[in-house]
Amino acid sequence: MGRQSAFVREDAVRSARDVFWSEGYEGASMASLQRATGLNASSIYHSFGSKRGLFDAAIEDYLERVVRPGLAPLRAPEVAPDALERYFLAARALFADPSGRTLPDGCLLVNTACSGLARDDGIAEAVRAYRAELHAAFTRGAQARRPDQSPQERAQLVETCVALLISALVMTRVDRDAATAALDSALTALQHQEQAHP
Amino acid sequence: MGRQSAFVREDAVRSARDVFWSEGYEGASMASLQRATGLNASSIYHSFGSKRGLFDAAIEDYLERVVRPGLAPLRAPEVAPDALERYFLAARALFADPSGRTLPDGCLLVNTACSGLARDDGIAEAVRAYRAELHAAFTRGAQARRPDQSPQERAQLVETCVALLISALVMTRVDRDAATAALDSALTALQHQEQAHP
DNA sequence: GGTCTCTTGGAATGATCGTTCCACTATAGT
DNA sequence: ACTATAGTGGAACGATCATTCCAAGAGACC
């Protein structure tokens, strides 16, 4: 059926995803995407239709390779009681990295939600789904930690944890201390729940 | 002394600020800024030096005319015990507006913090200062509500309130229900503090 | 009224934007 | 080997980007 692709689609998407992540959709020029992927414009348009098509693929890759691996212990059939705490401890380690090399640009989806692209229905739906995944995973973590907790209290805790994470992701670029402080706050919120019912 | 300006600087800045607010710095074209302000490019460059200079003025205007008026009761010499709760109630009313006409684009500074412009030192400092103003005002509100509360507990509550507000501002464009839910969570967090020590 | 200084209008700048087009190349199926 | 099909390279597209330049315009001071 004709000539075959000289590149691995997955690799190209990942390279493009990193560009979108650090530069944003509008800030990522086709020139920079070509440079990062090693593809020329023709191949990109042939494979993804448009810059936007490549971005959609980048979002899917981001969820699958960045978000979900981190949430895996909270999505597994059996959730450890300390899984949620471990999640925030791991996040804190990433955010607090002194080299500033890990997670330097926050979250692709949070950044997109704050851009003009958020008015696009497809993008808005992707952000809602992302937040819903966080919320569901955190709820499972909270359930594993405190099965006896009332649904209202649990909902409150989960909402707070999601918000503290998002807040940290927003602040990463401008104030690493504020970002880690938000995560510390989530950790103490989790611990406070324990101590209240020993 | 020469010819005098035919426009009111404050009005021009406010119009430009609204464009930056809804479109973002990069998304706001000089053409759209000229249209909104009614000024010619020459006048803009003469008065503000560059698009970036106009944006800096827009940020200052945003703080002075949007952020601080809302925080006023929390910054006054005397802070009412319910001032913080009132703040979130007012915010909730804005976010939940069914017409979607109030606060349709979140926060100018949060949006900017999630854009590539956040790597600029001046912008980063502005976002830090914005967050610090929120934090300081909320701390005063928390103090007025519960003077006896321990500093650790208060810091935790304030951090949570700031994060829930930022989270709501991030989600506004894509999910109004999630945004109002975050604010509701802040309100119940505040009320929970009351009930704990009646 | 004359002159000086500052503001404005509008065109023009070069750069960069996303996208398209076409010729060329390489593979799969017959 | 031939042909049909699909991917690639590179130039070119018109549009739009922020910015600059110059001449015309208008009020302030002598």
Side-chain angles (χ1 to χ4, degrees):
Chain A
M1 299 290 280
R3 183 175 171 178
Q4 64 192 4
S5 270
F7 64 95
V8 181
R9 185 185 166 98
E10 197 177 30
D11 296 345
V13 171
R14 180 158 23 154
S15 301
R17 174 253 280 167
D18 289 342
V19 175
F20 284 126
W21 196 351
S22 73
E23 308 297 333
Y25 176 75
E26 291 164 342
S29 67
M30 279 301 297
S32 66
L33 291 167
Q34 291 175 237
R35 210 177 312 124
T37 59
L39 306 185
N40 71 14
S42 303
S43 300
I44 292 179
Y45 278 84
H46 192 86
S47 294
F48 303 98
S50 64
K51 180 187 175 186
R52 174 59 195 279
L54 179 56
F55 184 70
D56 290 341
I59 285 186
E60 194 49 51
D61 183 87
Y62 180 79
L63 288 171
E64 197 57 48
R65 302 178 76 107
V66 179
V67 175
R68 286 176 195 136
L71 294 176
L74 295 162
R75 293 159 52 92
E78 288 291 316
V79 181
D82 63 345
L84 186 51
E85 193 176 352
R86 280 176 180 279
Y87 178 86
F88 274 97
L89 279 169
R92 211 210 103 100
L94 285 179
F95 277 77
D97 181 275
S99 80
R101 216 120 39 141
T102 63
L103 222 45
D105 298 298
C107 167
L108 174 60
L109 284 151
V110 168
N111 296 350
T112 304
C114 294
S115 78
L117 206 56
R119 275 189 282 256
D120 177 282
D121 286 341
I123 296 294
E125 177 55 34
V127 175
R128 280 193 293 269
Y130 162 70
R131 207 196 103 100
E133 282 200 35
L134 282 183
H135 201 280
F138 286 7
T139 298
R140 298 192 79 221
Q143 263 166 344
R145 163 60 83 194
R146 295 267 319 283
D148 56 312
Q149 193 177 35
S150 79
Q152 293 82 3
E153 274 183 299
R154 178 148 49 228
Q156 174 76 12
L157 176 64
V158 168
E159 190 74 31
T160 298
C161 285
V162 171
L164 285 162
L165 175 62
I166 290 177
S167 178
L169 289 163
V170 168
M171 296 300 295
T172 326
R173 278 193 179 130
V174 302
D175 192 345
R176 192 164 61 223
D177 291 340
T180 61
L183 297 177
D184 283 336
S185 221
L187 284 164
T188 70
L190 290 170
Q191 288 166 359
H192 188 272
Q193 296 277 329
E194 297 174 51
Q195 291 170 357
H197 302 252
Chain B
M1 303 282 279
R3 180 175 171 181
Q4 66 193 4
S5 271
F7 64 94
V8 181
R9 185 185 166 97
E10 197 176 30
D11 295 345
V13 170
R14 179 157 23 154
S15 301
R17 173 253 279 167
D18 289 342
V19 176
F20 284 126
W21 196 351
S22 73
E23 308 298 332
Y25 176 75
E26 291 164 341
S29 67
M30 279 300 297
S32 66
L33 291 167
Q34 292 174 237
R35 210 177 310 123
T37 59
L39 304 187
N40 196 307
S42 303
S43 300
I44 292 178
Y45 277 83
H46 191 86
S47 295
F48 302 98
S50 63
K51 180 187 174 185
R52 174 59 195 281
L54 179 56
F55 184 69
D56 290 340
I59 285 186
E60 194 49 52
D61 182 87
Y62 180 79
L63 287 171
E64 198 57 49
R65 301 178 75 107
V66 178
V67 175
R68 287 177 194 134
L71 294 176
L74 294 162
R75 293 159 53 93
E78 289 291 316
V79 181
D82 64 344
L84 187 50
E85 194 176 349
R86 280 177 180 278
Y87 178 86
F88 275 97
L89 279 169
R92 212 209 103 99
L94 284 179
F95 277 77
D97 180 276
S99 80
R101 217 126 33 152
T102 63
L103 223 44
D105 298 298
C107 168
L108 173 60
L109 283 152
V110 168
N111 295 351
T112 305
C114 293
S115 78
L117 206 56
R119 274 190 283 257
D120 177 281
D121 286 341
I123 296 294
E125 177 55 35
V127 175
R128 280 193 292 270
Y130 161 70
R131 207 196 103 100
E133 283 200 37
L134 281 183
H135 200 279
F138 286 7
T139 299
R140 299 192 79 221
Q143 264 166 343
R145 163 61 81 194
R146 295 265 319 281
D148 57 312
Q149 192 177 35
S150 80
Q152 292 84 2
E153 275 183 301
R154 178 146 54 226
Q156 174 76 11
L157 176 65
V158 168
E159 190 74 31
T160 298
C161 285
V162 172
L164 284 162
L165 175 62
I166 289 177
S167 178
L169 289 164
V170 168
M171 296 301 294
T172 326
R173 277 195 180 130
V174 302
D175 192 345
R176 193 163 61 224
D177 292 341
T180 61
L183 296 176
D184 284 335
S185 220
L187 284 165
T188 70
L190 289 169
Q191 287 166 359
H192 188 272
Q193 296 277 331
E194 298 175 51
Q195 291 170 357
H197 301 251

